[in-house]
Amino acid sequence: MSSTVLPFASPWLSLNVCLCVSPAEFMPILGTNLNPEFISVCNNATWAIGEICMQMGVEMQPYVSLVLNQLVEIINRPNTPKTLLENTAITIGRLGYVCPQEVSPMLQQFIRPW
C-alpha cells in the first residue's frame, strides 16, 4: 500500500508538517461523507477531496470513481446550499484538471449552457 505525503499548514503553529497517509485509507471515508443531508460534513468532505486531488495530481486517478458520481449528484440536487454547490463545482473542476480522462465522460451530466 503506497502512501502520499500531503503538506499540512497549521493555523496554530508556525511550521509546516507533512502527513504520511494512504489514499486507499481515507478516500473511501471522504466518499462516504458526501451525503448532502449532512451539509457541513458533506461540504468539508467535498473541500478536502478538492485539496487532496491538487496535491496528489494524477495519482488521484484510482480514486476519482469513488467520489465523482456523488459530486455530480450533489451539484444536480435541487435546493443545495450555495456554499456546497461552490465547493462541489470547484472540486469537480479540480478532479477534471488532474484526471481529465476520468471526468470528461461525465460532463454531460453536470455541465450547463451559460
Side-chain angles (χ1 to χ4, degrees):
M1 176 171 14
S2 67
S3 63
T4 302
V5 176
L6 299 174
F8 174 75
S10 172
W12 301 283
L13 300 173
S14 61
L15 61 118
N16 289 329
V17 269
C18 288
L19 301 174
C20 293
V21 292
S22 168
E25 293 176 43
F26 64 81
M27 289 308 295
I29 296 168
L30 289 174
T32 300
N33 284 302
L34 292 176
N35 180 348
E37 296 298 319
F38 304 100
I39 294 167
S40 294
V41 173
C42 185
N43 202 29
N44 287 339
T46 302
W47 174 85
I49 292 165
E51 290 294 318
I52 290 166
C53 83
M54 294 305 291
Q55 295 297 318
M56 289 180 61
V58 295
E59 292 178 19
M60 183 70 182
Q61 186 271 330
Y63 309 103
V64 173
S65 62
L66 290 175
V67 298
L68 186 57
N69 286 330
Q70 292 158 285
L71 292 169
V72 170
E73 285 180 27
I74 292 166
I75 207 164
N76 287 323
R77 191 171 190 256
N79 303 317
T80 301
K82 184 179 177 182
T83 56
L84 181 54
L85 282 175
E86 289 169 351
N87 275 334
T88 303
I90 290 167
T91 296
I92 291 172
R94 288 178 168 187
L95 287 168
Y97 180 73
V98 299
C99 298
Q101 297 296 333
E102 288 70 31
V103 176
S104 61
M106 299 285 289
L107 276 173
Q108 294 301 318
Q109 294 185 35
F110 63 85
I111 200 157
R112 292 183 176 63
W114 288 11

